[in-house]
Amino acid sequence: MHDESRRIEERVQRLHDQRIKTAVYAATVPLEVEAWQAPGEPVPFEEAAAASYEPFTMGTPWGPPWGTTWFRMRGQVPAEWAGRRVEAVIDLGFTGDWPGNQAEALVHLTDGTPLKAVNPLNQYVAIADPAQGGESVDYLVEAASNPDILADNFSKTTPLGDKLTAGDKPLYTFRSADIAILDEQVWHLDLDVQVLRELMLELGEHDPRRHEIAHALDRAMDLLDLDDVSGSAPAVREALKPVLSRPAHASAHTISGVGHAHIDSAWLWPIRETKRKTSRTFSNVTSLADEYDDFIFACSQAQQYEWVRDHYPKVWSRIQESVKNGQWAPVGGMWVESDGNLPGGEAVARQFVHGKRFFIEHFGLETKGVWLPDSFGYNAAYPQIAKLAGNEWFLTQKISWNQTNKFPHHTFWWEGIDGTRIFTHFPPVDTYNARFSGEEMSRAVRNYSEKGGASRSLAPFGWGDGGGGPTREIMERARRLADLEGSAKVVVEHPDEFFAKAREEYPDAPVWVGELYLELHRATYTSQARTKQGNRRSEHLLREAELWATTAALHAPGYSYPYEKLDRLWKTVLLHQFHDILPGSSIAWVHREAEAEYARVARELHALTAEAVAALGAGEPRVFNTSPYDRAEVVRSADGTPVFVRVPASGSAPLADTAPPQPVTVDGRVLDNGLVRVEVAEDGTLSSVFDLRAGREVLAEPGNLLRLHTDLPNYWDAWDIDKHYKNRYTDLLDASSVTVVEQDPLVGAIRVERSFGKGSTITQTISVRAGSPRIDIETDIDWHETEKILKAAFPVDIRAPHSSAEIQFGHVQRPTHTNTSWESARFEVSGHRWVHLAEPGYGVAVINDSTYGHDVSRTVRDDGGTTTTVRLSLVRAPRIPDPEADQGRHRFTYALLPGASIEDAVAEGYALNLPLRVADAAGAPEPVVSTEGEGITVEAVKLADDTSGDVVVRLYESRGGRATGTLRTGFPLAGAQITDLLERPLEDAETTDGAVAVALRPFQILTLRLRRG
């Protein structure tokens, strides 16, 4: 037989694209359209309904950036269309190939009932099926003219990312608004041909099935009447039935399709627009559920549900009904799909607490899995946190984006730092916006790493980010692919069902131990530094407010614990941990609002803490220590005078001088407190840090070396640091002044000032305090660079085989060598409050109060010694998507801690992030709890969320070893229970003499519920 493949393929493509697809709508009549431009921000439906509308002509430009235009559309179904399926079809002037980052609209009835959204790939609104003829159409359509921020494929900066700079030039040209007949036979033929053609093109050239499909399509096209596509469509479909009905091979891979609409809670649009995106998409989803009984939609992020509940109650009611019907599956159990690296341990716990409680309260069901398809890597504490929140499985997609190494598994057990394992799946389709194309189906099978061990994978399908979610076309594709020879099989089902089947099929799946590091988007540890600082400080202020509010509730008669305020503030912080806000990858508008929100949160939390402390009664100035460790350090009184105090963990002490071990001396540029001697060079670097206790020099080269690198990644500016950034740099060695600014027996400080680049300045105050080996470097940057990254280096004279970096509820160790491509790819990593380097007998920690990104490297010197260098990433200057990212003022502190063990690093990390608070108070109430036993670290102290008055304490083992000891209470203890994260009892805790016995495995998290006597 002659090879006619090319002729057939080209014929089928042209007939499909130019004749079949264009005949899907058999007839149209235009709707009458009027318009009203809402001034400023979006308005409620009632205001829009009462507005004065003006005639609007198709082909007219509309929609300023971030504007809202309301359209009134009226018409009548022609009488002769009786018996046909009739729809409104609206094209707002959609552009580009991304359905979720441009114009979109929500169609309402005149009584305010939302019907359905209009999106680029979902333009219809059902009117009648079948029509009676004569039906009236009267819609109010809220259309959002959101700009396409990435229209130039990341090649250009744009002012469109903030309404303050976006201008008012219309973005879109309205194309059409019609009443139309959907020709169902042609529509189904369109899908038949699409599915078969795509399958054919994915099959091998020597696969008989490919040629069978090709010739069947060729014969079917002979039956297509080009002058009467509608009339001939049934015959063409009948001719294709034999190739569409051939069953899949018995060993065919099974893909569990789950309807999905990944909606970023903010990204290239502000939070206010996400509230509308969710309502539009959820309207589509509930409408699709009415059409397809076998449709199932998985939806995460309790915050988005709450927005719809509060702003779109009619859509909310439809969601509740879909959940009852089993077609809507709440998943994820988190308040938002947060970043996987940057939120603190307690914040990750609260993501689950608030998320799971929302679903339990409003739907009467508990989610079973963690749904995080798009976060930029996942910390190694996740398995334990997820399991303690009652989860059984974990899903993500993002690791498929790795720049260097292909992750070896798709279905596996993920083991965290404490040994907890959770069943995990990466969909091999490599997208969370699947549409069941032939290419996607082939890719899923080709990619799947577990061939021979397992035979099923999951595919989330639907258009995300405001693209409207799953469509009827995707559902029809799934039906055709349910059992089709040459293809994987598709079954639409709940993700819980998929995970149950996958685990049953593959119980001995391979194990991955430790973090799931994404070899991409490494700059998200640093970009938008003020947003990250706001998060870090909010987390610690929340801890402080909860501790002292609990103390006041226990000891101050009449004090009322601020449950509702704390709940609201926690939810605000959790929202801003979303994986495009906290990582710094959103538009300017998002980060401008985030900074304002963090400032408001800080004001409220400072006020709550002040109220709690004041409730303890007026008295003499006292020092309050929120840290879980005893502290002996310098604090400043109201007039700025330094005072050396000793304060118990989670307790208070009088603001009164106690004798420091040794005073601080300042001799020229040398600071000495008997523990460390620090020499500051003329260029402002640390020329020497000598540990007087150990009798050794800490630095191998000058420390606190500030290095300015050129930083232009290959593609994703705000997201990425590519390895070539290291090749071009300038060391900042020209200090304009090096001045002693404090010379006191308790504090010695030297200020270093620098100017550089495009008018940027850095002022650093290097301080040594009595009684502490910690060297603080308070930093004030006025930053005006572009496409640069600033790092601070500490080259220490230690041969460290690995670095240890704090993560949630523990720490991870990462090799300092680059033996393999996996280690080499970790050239920028994340950590929380500290990084620790050690060789046997000696260690050094670098502490920070708001930075996350860093790198660690080592070299061997000519003398045979090893230099291990920690470099903190301080600030970047990407230009896309926010052209002014990080410009302006930054204030933060980092510190060097010589002679530090891991436990020292933990304690000083808390100390730097939880400054001692000075306030007037009467007496000294006992700490709510205190611990005995090394490695037992209290992370949170609060009252139980059920308002019972029970005290809840979350603690963990922080050194990486076993810990035994006791937890004592500052109140009469009637009983204690071990609970899950949601404060539900798991078992009774052992108590003896009013104390709780504690025994922890390495990095174990323990939540105790303490009943008051």
Side-chain angles (χ1 to χ4, degrees), residues 35 55-63 71 92-93 170-176:
F56 185 88
T57 305
M58 292 301 102
T60 301
W62 71 279
F71 295 99
L92 299 172
L171 297 175
Y172 300 99
T173 300
F174 208 127
R175 288 200 187 95
S176 60

Side-chain angles (χ1 to χ4, degrees), residues 55 447 592:
N447 269 355
R592 174 169 57 80

Side-chain angles (χ1 to χ4, degrees), residues 231-416:
S232 59
V236 181
R237 293 198 69 208
E238 190 66 28
L240 292 175
K241 273 187 178 179
V243 285
L244 275 170
S245 60
R246 289 283 187 90
H249 297 305
S251 59
H253 185 79
T254 298
I255 295 178
S256 296
V258 180
H260 183 48
H262 177 78
I263 304 177
D264 289 316
S265 289
W267 180 28
L268 304 178
W269 48 86
I271 286 172
R272 70 90 149 141
E273 194 57 30
T274 311
K275 295 176 183 179
R276 301 201 294 178
K277 284 178 178 285
T278 54
S279 69
R280 299 176 195 128
T281 294
F282 295 173
S283 296
N284 285 354
V285 169
T286 52
S287 295
L288 193 63
D290 292 337
E291 286 190 71
Y292 290 87
D293 292 340
D294 53 339
F295 172 61
I296 294 176
F297 179 72
C299 185
S300 65
Q301 304 197 76
Q303 172 69 89
Q304 295 185 1
Y305 287 76
E306 185 177 80
W307 285 334
V308 174
R309 183 199 67 188
D310 293 346
H311 300 288
Y312 297 87
K314 293 181 180 179
V315 178
W316 171 248
S317 296
R318 285 155 59 181
I319 292 172
Q320 289 181 307
E321 189 64 27
S322 291
V323 172
K324 288 179 185 176
N325 294 338
Q327 291 185 277
W328 185 297
V331 293
M334 299 178 73
W335 191 247
V336 296
E337 289 184 14
S338 70
D339 180 79
N341 293 305
L342 306 178
E346 188 61 23
V348 178
R350 302 299 177 97
Q351 288 282 358
F352 285 112
V353 168
H354 287 286
K356 296 200 82 166
R357 282 215 182 112
F358 184 92
F359 295 133
I360 291 169
E361 177 184 351
H362 294 286
F363 301 122
L365 56 84
E366 182 167 355
T367 55
K368 294 183 179 181
V370 183
W371 185 279
L372 276 177
D374 191 35
S375 293
F376 311 143
Y378 306 91
N379 72 79
Y382 248 120
Q384 182 180 193
I385 298 172
K387 291 296 285 289
L388 286 173
N391 293 294
E392 300 173 1
W393 53 260
F394 188 98
L395 177 136
T396 184
Q397 178 68 64
K398 204 69 174 186
I399 303 299
S400 69
W401 288 40
N402 270 7
Q403 192 175 49
T404 305
N405 298 285
K406 178 178 171 58
F407 193 82
H409 310 300
H410 284 103
T411 302
F412 59 100
W413 290 96
W414 179 20
E415 181 179 313

Side-chain angles (χ1 to χ4, degrees), residues 38 61 248 331 847 918:
V331 293
I847 318 288
V918 177

